[in-house]
Amino acid sequence: MKNLVAFLALALAACVASNQPLKVVLQGAEDIEYGRFADPLANPPAGQWLMDGHDYTAQRYSTLTQIDADNVSGLGLAWFDDLDTYRGVEATPLYADGVLYNTLAWNITTAYDAKTGAKLWTYDPRTPREYGRYACCEPVARGLALWNGKVIIATLDGRLIALDKDSGQPVWTTRVFPEDSQYAFSITGAPRVFAGKVVVGESGGDLGVRGFVAAFDAETGAKLWKFFLAPNPEDKLDGEASDGIMEMMRKTWADTGMWRELGGGANPWDSIAYDPELDLVYVGTGNSNPHARYYRSNNEGDNLFTCSIVALHGKDGTYAWHYQMNPGEEWDWTCTQSMISADLTIDGRLRKVLMQAPKNGFFYVLDRATGEFISARNHVFQNWNEGFGKDGRPITSEKVRYGFDPVLVAPGPGGAHNWFPMAYSPRTKLAYFPAYQSEFVYALQPNWKPQPFRSNSGWGGFTGEAGKKRGELMAEANKIEKTWLTAWDPVKQEVAWKVELPRHGNGGVFVTASDLVFEGTTKQTFAAFDARTGKVLWEYPTQSAPVAGGITYMLDGVQYVAINAGWGGGAAQIERGAGIELPRAPARLLVFKLGGTEQLPPLAKVEAIPNPPPVRGTEAQITQGAQLFAETCSVCHGQNAIGGVKDLRHMTPETHGKFNDIVLKGLYLEKGMANFSDILSPEQAEAIHQYLIARANEDWGRD
């Protein structure tokens, strides 16, 4: 072992000095001796981008400086690839040894020559398109992992697949969750490799899942450990790493409630981080399910581990510590956002910290060894928090604990900072992230019953007097809605600067040692900002809003910048639902360099909206269709049938003629439109169809 440590130290030092790729062969997770040394991913060479967060700190900080404030205006397109999809493309590409790796919706993965854009291989895992039903915000994939000659993908339907990096052929495949699970599991987050282990969470919390995180051997795919993040609904042990604290977890949930049926939530659908010195895996957990605590847990308990950061020992997955941002979460807030490690001097003392800006509007600084609460402050308007106790527990205002009477809560369920990646610069000592200021009206739905494999919130107040009050409150909420790129000082807990942007959904960021911050914007541009002042230094029209996190890499002495421009996901659904989506091109992978001269083709002409057919459904049929659409279809096709992945008010006569075959026979399965015959009868499908015809006629001529 001592010889291996010495070899690693020499190899790492040589590679950092020469900016050449580090090639170290490790036999598997068992060869990492915990606490003895940091493995190669902990400090990758400057020109490489081997993990979604760049390295284990997840700072998304690059030491490359060839592109700087003086010459960034000369950035041009080096090459691009049309990705042949209008689905959201949310992945951070990875770069190693002259090859750029990228993944799309349905987990289709491609390797490119990073200089020319030539495709080296493409692997399609044939993700079953019916799993699009279980993805709340499109069948996206947020990234890949690299380890020891392998590219590792986590598929929407729950497979973990290791591909040979040179050929794209599978090396091993394993399952993260069983195909016949009672829950609506999916995976949209990137797998992470920490010290030879692939660590992955799962999605589906809006429909109903029991959250967990699991680790697998990166060499073989063998399961190493699993930790459940919500209690066992049968009040028994699971035989997993979480058993040791199952009693503590269970005490925070009511004895009765719909959590037993729907799983409780707390699924870690995006960010998972790691400290190699402490051998701690940090798991950011999701929202509760159902959302309404009244139905979920009889308005009782903290409901661990919803909306929390949970630290686990990497070697065996056992519990180390946790901090819960929102005890008794019931607003669809998540703590799955970027978790960044840094060493900060606070009150004259150097602290090893973990930083996060989750959905709830606060920026948190925690001790990453112990979980001790150090500080938190809101970066947008909020009305849920009245302060923090001495132990860091938030004091939640009873005014936001909604009942059947609608109340206004800030932030809304979209969150003050959603999944869009955050960055941190050790030079400026600032964190950078897109912020969204919003409010939302919450109320309970009377006599609500959960719907299996559909969106389950328990929210209501859409009709009668409650509906009238909702409209008045939402008009008030619309007045404060704003979005911006924020530069945040985590020591002072204050805004250093911010740049206002026009719409929610601005993309993830990364920062360089030349003090440049790169971000995709909802102006359909990719932009570079001065990291110290926020001044816009460069902006490139991308014909689609890049929501993903970008990267930078060095190849043959040339620095490149790469970003996926593929507007989609939850923010896109909000914009489409508001009827304000801009015309856009299909998704593209864009790669820039100084002096690049490639040009994008012009946007295609927008087709005219077809005339809707006449309304022939009865009032009762259309009313039934509206309810069924809201429960079954609105996640993909927009509230009130406005916008969505496909705006169904704008169906052609041919599509109207095939409507029942599309809905009940899976005619468009390959496009991601699943067969719904298991939960919809022909009469119900026709009611939805008649509702859509009515909506098309109501809105005809307004777009």
Side-chain angles (χ1 to χ4, degrees), residues 43-70:
N43 189 16
Q48 309 276 311
W49 198 291
L50 305 180
M51 303 180 66
D52 70 318
H54 188 261
D55 58 22
Y56 284 157
T57 68
Q59 292 179 2
R60 292 181 180 256
Y61 170 79
S62 170
T63 58
L64 297 181
T65 58
Q66 185 180 93
I67 302 169
D68 59 26
D70 292 330

PDB file of all heavy atoms in Angstrom, residues 43-70:
ATOM      1  N   ASN A  43      -8.025  15.884  -6.943  1.00  0.00           N
ATOM      2  CA  ASN A  43      -7.227  17.016  -7.411  1.00  0.00           C
ATOM      3  C   ASN A  43      -6.833  16.782  -8.868  1.00  0.00           C
ATOM      4  O   ASN A  43      -5.675  16.530  -9.171  1.00  0.00           O
ATOM      5  CB  ASN A  43      -5.986  17.181  -6.529  1.00  0.00           C
ATOM      6  CG  ASN A  43      -5.243  18.472  -6.832  1.00  0.00           C
ATOM      7  OD1 ASN A  43      -5.781  19.379  -7.465  1.00  0.00           O
ATOM      8  ND2 ASN A  43      -3.996  18.543  -6.398  1.00  0.00           N
ATOM      9  N   PRO A  44      -7.784  16.850  -9.773  1.00  0.00           N
ATOM     10  CA  PRO A  44      -7.492  16.531 -11.177  1.00  0.00           C
ATOM     11  C   PRO A  44      -6.607  17.591 -11.812  1.00  0.00           C
ATOM     12  O   PRO A  44      -6.538  18.729 -11.354  1.00  0.00           O
ATOM     13  CB  PRO A  44      -8.886  16.518 -11.821  1.00  0.00           C
ATOM     14  CG  PRO A  44      -9.715  17.410 -10.961  1.00  0.00           C
ATOM     15  CD  PRO A  44      -9.198  17.222  -9.565  1.00  0.00           C
ATOM     16  N   PRO A  45      -5.924  17.231 -12.916  1.00  0.00           N
ATOM     17  CA  PRO A  45      -5.098  18.210 -13.630  1.00  0.00           C
ATOM     18  C   PRO A  45      -5.926  19.401 -14.087  1.00  0.00           C
ATOM     19  O   PRO A  45      -7.127  19.281 -14.360  1.00  0.00           O
ATOM     20  CB  PRO A  45      -4.566  17.409 -14.821  1.00  0.00           C
ATOM     21  CG  PRO A  45      -4.631  15.983 -14.385  1.00  0.00           C
ATOM     22  CD  PRO A  45      -5.829  15.883 -13.501  1.00  0.00           C
ATOM     23  N   ALA A  46      -5.282  20.556 -14.210  1.00  0.00           N
ATOM     24  CA  ALA A  46      -5.994  21.812 -14.472  1.00  0.00           C
ATOM     25  C   ALA A  46      -6.797  21.786 -15.764  1.00  0.00           C
ATOM     26  O   ALA A  46      -7.879  22.360 -15.843  1.00  0.00           O
ATOM     27  CB  ALA A  46      -4.998  22.970 -14.506  1.00  0.00           C
ATOM     28  N   GLY A  47      -6.282  21.118 -16.784  1.00  0.00           N
ATOM     29  CA  GLY A  47      -6.949  21.153 -18.075  1.00  0.00           C
ATOM     30  C   GLY A  47      -8.078  20.164 -18.244  1.00  0.00           C
ATOM     31  O   GLY A  47      -8.746  20.145 -19.275  1.00  0.00           O
ATOM     32  N   GLN A  48      -8.309  19.314 -17.226  1.00  0.00           N
ATOM     33  CA  GLN A  48      -9.335  18.280 -17.299  1.00  0.00           C
ATOM     34  C   GLN A  48     -10.607  18.739 -16.562  1.00  0.00           C
ATOM     35  O   GLN A  48     -10.562  19.612 -15.708  1.00  0.00           O
ATOM     36  CB  GLN A  48      -8.826  16.989 -16.656  1.00  0.00           C
ATOM     37  CG  GLN A  48      -7.467  16.531 -17.159  1.00  0.00           C
ATOM     38  CD  GLN A  48      -7.552  15.733 -18.438  1.00  0.00           C
ATOM     39  OE1 GLN A  48      -8.333  14.802 -18.553  1.00  0.00           O
ATOM     40  NE2 GLN A  48      -6.744  16.092 -19.421  1.00  0.00           N
ATOM     41  N   TRP A  49     -11.731  18.113 -16.898  1.00  0.00           N
ATOM     42  CA  TRP A  49     -12.973  18.313 -16.133  1.00  0.00           C
ATOM     43  C   TRP A  49     -13.587  16.926 -15.993  1.00  0.00           C
ATOM     44  O   TRP A  49     -14.350  16.472 -16.830  1.00  0.00           O
ATOM     45  CB  TRP A  49     -13.911  19.282 -16.853  1.00  0.00           C
ATOM     46  CG  TRP A  49     -14.965  19.839 -15.946  1.00  0.00           C
ATOM     47  CD1 TRP A  49     -16.012  19.162 -15.384  1.00  0.00           C
ATOM     48  CD2 TRP A  49     -15.070  21.192 -15.471  1.00  0.00           C
ATOM     49  NE1 TRP A  49     -16.765  19.999 -14.591  1.00  0.00           N
ATOM     50  CE2 TRP A  49     -16.209  21.248 -14.629  1.00  0.00           C
ATOM     51  CE3 TRP A  49     -14.340  22.347 -15.670  1.00  0.00           C
ATOM     52  CZ2 TRP A  49     -16.623  22.434 -14.003  1.00  0.00           C
ATOM     53  CZ3 TRP A  49     -14.739  23.517 -15.042  1.00  0.00           C
ATOM     54  CH2 TRP A  49     -15.873  23.554 -14.220  1.00  0.00           C
ATOM     55  N   LEU A  50     -13.254  16.245 -14.893  1.00  0.00           N
ATOM     56  CA  LEU A  50     -13.541  14.825 -14.729  1.00  0.00           C
ATOM     57  C   LEU A  50     -14.804  14.526 -13.931  1.00  0.00           C
ATOM     58  O   LEU A  50     -15.248  13.370 -13.902  1.00  0.00           O
ATOM     59  CB  LEU A  50     -12.357  14.131 -14.043  1.00  0.00           C
ATOM     60  CG  LEU A  50     -10.987  14.310 -14.711  1.00  0.00           C
ATOM     61  CD1 LEU A  50      -9.913  13.579 -13.921  1.00  0.00           C
ATOM     62  CD2 LEU A  50     -11.017  13.826 -16.151  1.00  0.00           C
ATOM     63  N   MET A  51     -15.353  15.526 -13.258  1.00  0.00           N
ATOM     64  CA  MET A  51     -16.573  15.348 -12.461  1.00  0.00           C
ATOM     65  C   MET A  51     -17.501  16.516 -12.742  1.00  0.00           C
ATOM     66  O   MET A  51     -17.051  17.586 -13.162  1.00  0.00           O
ATOM     67  CB  MET A  51     -16.255  15.328 -10.959  1.00  0.00           C
ATOM     68  CG  MET A  51     -15.279  14.279 -10.517  1.00  0.00           C
ATOM     69  SD  MET A  51     -15.009  14.370  -8.730  1.00  0.00           S
ATOM     70  CE  MET A  51     -16.638  13.889  -8.136  1.00  0.00           C
ATOM     71  N   ASP A  52     -18.785  16.330 -12.451  1.00  0.00           N
ATOM     72  CA  ASP A  52     -19.719  17.416 -12.765  1.00  0.00           C
ATOM     73  C   ASP A  52     -19.371  18.684 -12.009  1.00  0.00           C
ATOM     74  O   ASP A  52     -19.508  19.780 -12.533  1.00  0.00           O
ATOM     75  CB  ASP A  52     -21.169  16.988 -12.494  1.00  0.00           C
ATOM     76  CG  ASP A  52     -21.470  16.830 -11.023  1.00  0.00           C
ATOM     77  OD1 ASP A  52     -20.631  16.277 -10.295  1.00  0.00           O
ATOM     78  OD2 ASP A  52     -22.562  17.245 -10.591  1.00  0.00           O
ATOM     79  N   GLY A  53     -18.889  18.586 -10.768  1.00  0.00           N
ATOM     80  CA  GLY A  53     -18.495  19.761  -9.993  1.00  0.00           C
ATOM     81  C   GLY A  53     -17.034  20.125 -10.146  1.00  0.00           C
ATOM     82  O   GLY A  53     -16.512  20.947  -9.403  1.00  0.00           O
ATOM     83  N   HIS A  54     -16.345  19.489 -11.090  1.00  0.00           N
ATOM     84  CA  HIS A  54     -14.918  19.636 -11.428  1.00  0.00           C
ATOM     85  C   HIS A  54     -14.036  18.774 -10.536  1.00  0.00           C
ATOM     86  O   HIS A  54     -13.183  18.045 -11.023  1.00  0.00           O
ATOM     87  CB  HIS A  54     -14.434  21.086 -11.372  1.00  0.00           C
ATOM     88  CG  HIS A  54     -13.040  21.261 -11.899  1.00  0.00           C
ATOM     89  ND1 HIS A  54     -11.937  21.341 -11.074  1.00  0.00           N
ATOM     90  CD2 HIS A  54     -12.561  21.338 -13.170  1.00  0.00           C
ATOM     91  CE1 HIS A  54     -10.840  21.461 -11.812  1.00  0.00           C
ATOM     92  NE2 HIS A  54     -11.195  21.462 -13.095  1.00  0.00           N
ATOM     93  N   ASP A  55     -14.192  18.854  -9.198  1.00  0.00           N
ATOM     94  CA  ASP A  55     -13.461  17.987  -8.287  1.00  0.00           C
ATOM     95  C   ASP A  55     -14.327  17.772  -7.056  1.00  0.00           C
ATOM     96  O   ASP A  55     -15.489  18.152  -7.021  1.00  0.00           O
ATOM     97  CB  ASP A  55     -12.085  18.566  -7.939  1.00  0.00           C
ATOM     98  CG  ASP A  55     -12.158  19.957  -7.309  1.00  0.00           C
ATOM     99  OD1 ASP A  55     -13.220  20.321  -6.756  1.00  0.00           O
ATOM    100  OD2 ASP A  55     -11.165  20.694  -7.369  1.00  0.00           O
ATOM    101  N   TYR A  56     -13.775  17.146  -6.018  1.00  0.00           N
ATOM    102  CA  TYR A  56     -14.590  16.794  -4.856  1.00  0.00           C
ATOM    103  C   TYR A  56     -15.139  18.007  -4.111  1.00  0.00           C
ATOM    104  O   TYR A  56     -16.124  17.892  -3.380  1.00  0.00           O
ATOM    105  CB  TYR A  56     -13.789  15.918  -3.891  1.00  0.00           C
ATOM    106  CG  TYR A  56     -13.634  14.481  -4.330  1.00  0.00           C
ATOM    107  CD1 TYR A  56     -12.583  13.700  -3.838  1.00  0.00           C
ATOM    108  CD2 TYR A  56     -14.513  13.887  -5.225  1.00  0.00           C
ATOM    109  CE1 TYR A  56     -12.418  12.377  -4.217  1.00  0.00           C
ATOM    110  CE2 TYR A  56     -14.371  12.576  -5.614  1.00  0.00           C
ATOM    111  CZ  TYR A  56     -13.322  11.818  -5.111  1.00  0.00           C
ATOM    112  OH  TYR A  56     -13.173  10.514  -5.492  1.00  0.00           O
ATOM    113  N   THR A  57     -14.518  19.166  -4.260  1.00  0.00           N
ATOM    114  CA  THR A  57     -15.065  20.354  -3.600  1.00  0.00           C
ATOM    115  C   THR A  57     -16.369  20.800  -4.248  1.00  0.00           C
ATOM    116  O   THR A  57     -17.140  21.532  -3.642  1.00  0.00           O
ATOM    117  CB  THR A  57     -14.079  21.534  -3.656  1.00  0.00           C
ATOM    118  OG1 THR A  57     -13.943  21.979  -5.020  1.00  0.00           O
ATOM    119  CG2 THR A  57     -12.720  21.148  -3.081  1.00  0.00           C
ATOM    120  N   ALA A  58     -16.592  20.379  -5.511  1.00  0.00           N
ATOM    121  CA  ALA A  58     -17.774  20.776  -6.299  1.00  0.00           C
ATOM    122  C   ALA A  58     -17.851  22.290  -6.470  1.00  0.00           C
ATOM    123  O   ALA A  58     -18.937  22.842  -6.647  1.00  0.00           O
ATOM    124  CB  ALA A  58     -19.064  20.233  -5.683  1.00  0.00           C
ATOM    125  N   GLN A  59     -16.704  22.970  -6.442  1.00  0.00           N
ATOM    126  CA  GLN A  59     -16.682  24.429  -6.586  1.00  0.00           C
ATOM    127  C   GLN A  59     -16.908  24.883  -8.026  1.00  0.00           C
ATOM    128  O   GLN A  59     -17.143  26.057  -8.265  1.00  0.00           O
ATOM    129  CB  GLN A  59     -15.355  24.984  -6.073  1.00  0.00           C
ATOM    130  CG  GLN A  59     -15.176  24.847  -4.573  1.00  0.00           C
ATOM    131  CD  GLN A  59     -13.836  25.381  -4.083  1.00  0.00           C
ATOM    132  OE1 GLN A  59     -13.031  25.898  -4.862  1.00  0.00           O
ATOM    133  NE2 GLN A  59     -13.596  25.262  -2.783  1.00  0.00           N
ATOM    134  N   ARG A  60     -16.809  23.977  -8.984  1.00  0.00           N
ATOM    135  CA  ARG A  60     -16.903  24.337 -10.403  1.00  0.00           C
ATOM    136  C   ARG A  60     -15.957  25.511 -10.712  1.00  0.00           C
ATOM    137  O   ARG A  60     -16.318  26.464 -11.399  1.00  0.00           O
ATOM    138  CB  ARG A  60     -18.347  24.652 -10.804  1.00  0.00           C
ATOM    139  CG  ARG A  60     -19.227  23.417 -10.772  1.00  0.00           C
ATOM    140  CD  ARG A  60     -20.655  23.670 -11.174  1.00  0.00           C
ATOM    141  NE  ARG A  60     -21.431  22.436 -11.112  1.00  0.00           N
ATOM    142  CZ  ARG A  60     -21.806  21.712 -12.165  1.00  0.00           C
ATOM    143  NH1 ARG A  60     -21.478  22.124 -13.381  1.00  0.00           N
ATOM    144  NH2 ARG A  60     -22.502  20.607 -12.018  1.00  0.00           N
ATOM    145  N   TYR A  61     -14.760  25.379 -10.177  1.00  0.00           N
ATOM    146  CA  TYR A  61     -13.717  26.399 -10.322  1.00  0.00           C
ATOM    147  C   TYR A  61     -12.571  25.802 -11.122  1.00  0.00           C
ATOM    148  O   TYR A  61     -12.057  24.724 -10.810  1.00  0.00           O
ATOM    149  CB  TYR A  61     -13.217  26.835  -8.945  1.00  0.00           C
ATOM    150  CG  TYR A  61     -11.982  27.713  -8.964  1.00  0.00           C
ATOM    151  CD1 TYR A  61     -12.080  29.073  -9.263  1.00  0.00           C
ATOM    152  CD2 TYR A  61     -10.724  27.186  -8.677  1.00  0.00           C
ATOM    153  CE1 TYR A  61     -10.945  29.879  -9.283  1.00  0.00           C
ATOM    154  CE2 TYR A  61      -9.589  27.981  -8.685  1.00  0.00           C
ATOM    155  CZ  TYR A  61      -9.709  29.327  -8.990  1.00  0.00           C
ATOM    156  OH  TYR A  61      -8.587  30.120  -9.003  1.00  0.00           O
ATOM    157  N   SER A  62     -12.162  26.501 -12.185  1.00  0.00           N
ATOM    158  CA  SER A  62     -11.041  26.068 -13.017  1.00  0.00           C
ATOM    159  C   SER A  62      -9.886  27.036 -12.876  1.00  0.00           C
ATOM    160  O   SER A  62     -10.085  28.257 -12.878  1.00  0.00           O
ATOM    161  CB  SER A  62     -11.471  25.994 -14.485  1.00  0.00           C
ATOM    162  OG  SER A  62     -10.346  25.797 -15.323  1.00  0.00           O
ATOM    163  N   THR A  63      -8.677  26.495 -12.798  1.00  0.00           N
ATOM    164  CA  THR A  63      -7.479  27.346 -12.694  1.00  0.00           C
ATOM    165  C   THR A  63      -6.982  27.810 -14.060  1.00  0.00           C
ATOM    166  O   THR A  63      -5.974  28.516 -14.133  1.00  0.00           O
ATOM    167  CB  THR A  63      -6.348  26.595 -11.971  1.00  0.00           C
ATOM    168  OG1 THR A  63      -6.057  25.377 -12.676  1.00  0.00           O
ATOM    169  CG2 THR A  63      -6.739  26.267 -10.540  1.00  0.00           C
ATOM    170  N   LEU A  64      -7.659  27.461 -15.143  1.00  0.00           N
ATOM    171  CA  LEU A  64      -7.242  27.916 -16.472  1.00  0.00           C
ATOM    172  C   LEU A  64      -7.435  29.430 -16.612  1.00  0.00           C
ATOM    173  O   LEU A  64      -8.434  29.980 -16.142  1.00  0.00           O
ATOM    174  CB  LEU A  64      -8.039  27.194 -17.552  1.00  0.00           C
ATOM    175  CG  LEU A  64      -7.870  25.673 -17.626  1.00  0.00           C
ATOM    176  CD1 LEU A  64      -8.697  25.101 -18.773  1.00  0.00           C
ATOM    177  CD2 LEU A  64      -6.398  25.279 -17.777  1.00  0.00           C
ATOM    178  N   THR A  65      -6.478  30.075 -17.293  1.00  0.00           N
ATOM    179  CA  THR A  65      -6.508  31.539 -17.392  1.00  0.00           C
ATOM    180  C   THR A  65      -6.255  32.065 -18.799  1.00  0.00           C
ATOM    181  O   THR A  65      -6.136  33.279 -18.992  1.00  0.00           O
ATOM    182  CB  THR A  65      -5.457  32.167 -16.447  1.00  0.00           C
ATOM    183  OG1 THR A  65      -4.163  31.657 -16.798  1.00  0.00           O
ATOM    184  CG2 THR A  65      -5.755  31.844 -14.990  1.00  0.00           C
ATOM    185  N   GLN A  66      -6.160  31.193 -19.791  1.00  0.00           N
ATOM    186  CA  GLN A  66      -5.898  31.684 -21.144  1.00  0.00           C
ATOM    187  C   GLN A  66      -6.991  32.650 -21.588  1.00  0.00           C
ATOM    188  O   GLN A  66      -6.728  33.671 -22.225  1.00  0.00           O
ATOM    189  CB  GLN A  66      -5.795  30.509 -22.113  1.00  0.00           C
ATOM    190  CG  GLN A  66      -5.394  30.908 -23.521  1.00  0.00           C
ATOM    191  CD  GLN A  66      -5.299  29.707 -24.445  1.00  0.00           C
ATOM    192  OE1 GLN A  66      -6.252  29.349 -25.121  1.00  0.00           O
ATOM    193  NE2 GLN A  66      -4.127  29.055 -24.462  1.00  0.00           N
ATOM    194  N   ILE A  67      -8.232  32.324 -21.284  1.00  0.00           N
ATOM    195  CA  ILE A  67      -9.354  33.229 -21.559  1.00  0.00           C
ATOM    196  C   ILE A  67      -9.524  34.126 -20.344  1.00  0.00           C
ATOM    197  O   ILE A  67      -9.715  33.638 -19.218  1.00  0.00           O
ATOM    198  CB  ILE A  67     -10.648  32.438 -21.834  1.00  0.00           C
ATOM    199  CG1 ILE A  67     -10.458  31.491 -23.013  1.00  0.00           C
ATOM    200  CG2 ILE A  67     -11.811  33.383 -22.093  1.00  0.00           C
ATOM    201  CD1 ILE A  67     -11.588  30.495 -23.192  1.00  0.00           C
ATOM    202  N   ASP A  68      -9.442  35.436 -20.540  1.00  0.00           N
ATOM    203  CA  ASP A  68      -9.532  36.362 -19.414  1.00  0.00           C
ATOM    204  C   ASP A  68     -10.387  37.566 -19.790  1.00  0.00           C
ATOM    205  O   ASP A  68     -10.959  37.639 -20.883  1.00  0.00           O
ATOM    206  CB  ASP A  68      -8.140  36.789 -18.948  1.00  0.00           C
ATOM    207  CG  ASP A  68      -7.319  37.468 -20.034  1.00  0.00           C
ATOM    208  OD1 ASP A  68      -7.916  38.058 -20.975  1.00  0.00           O
ATOM    209  OD2 ASP A  68      -6.072  37.423 -19.967  1.00  0.00           O
ATOM    210  N   ALA A  69     -10.463  38.521 -18.886  1.00  0.00           N
ATOM    211  CA  ALA A  69     -11.327  39.685 -19.093  1.00  0.00           C
ATOM    212  C   ALA A  69     -10.907  40.510 -20.306  1.00  0.00           C
ATOM    213  O   ALA A  69     -11.749  41.148 -20.950  1.00  0.00           O
ATOM    214  CB  ALA A  69     -11.334  40.556 -17.835  1.00  0.00           C
ATOM    215  N   ASP A  70      -9.637  40.495 -20.631  1.00  0.00           N
ATOM    216  CA  ASP A  70      -9.146  41.305 -21.745  1.00  0.00           C
ATOM    217  C   ASP A  70      -9.458  40.698 -23.110  1.00  0.00           C
ATOM    218  O   ASP A  70      -9.586  41.430 -24.101  1.00  0.00           O
ATOM    219  CB  ASP A  70      -7.625  41.506 -21.616  1.00  0.00           C
ATOM    220  CG  ASP A  70      -7.256  42.372 -20.417  1.00  0.00           C
ATOM    221  OD1 ASP A  70      -8.075  43.238 -20.052  1.00  0.00           O
ATOM    222  OD2 ASP A  70      -6.169  42.151 -19.851  1.00  0.00           O
TER     223      ASP A  70
END
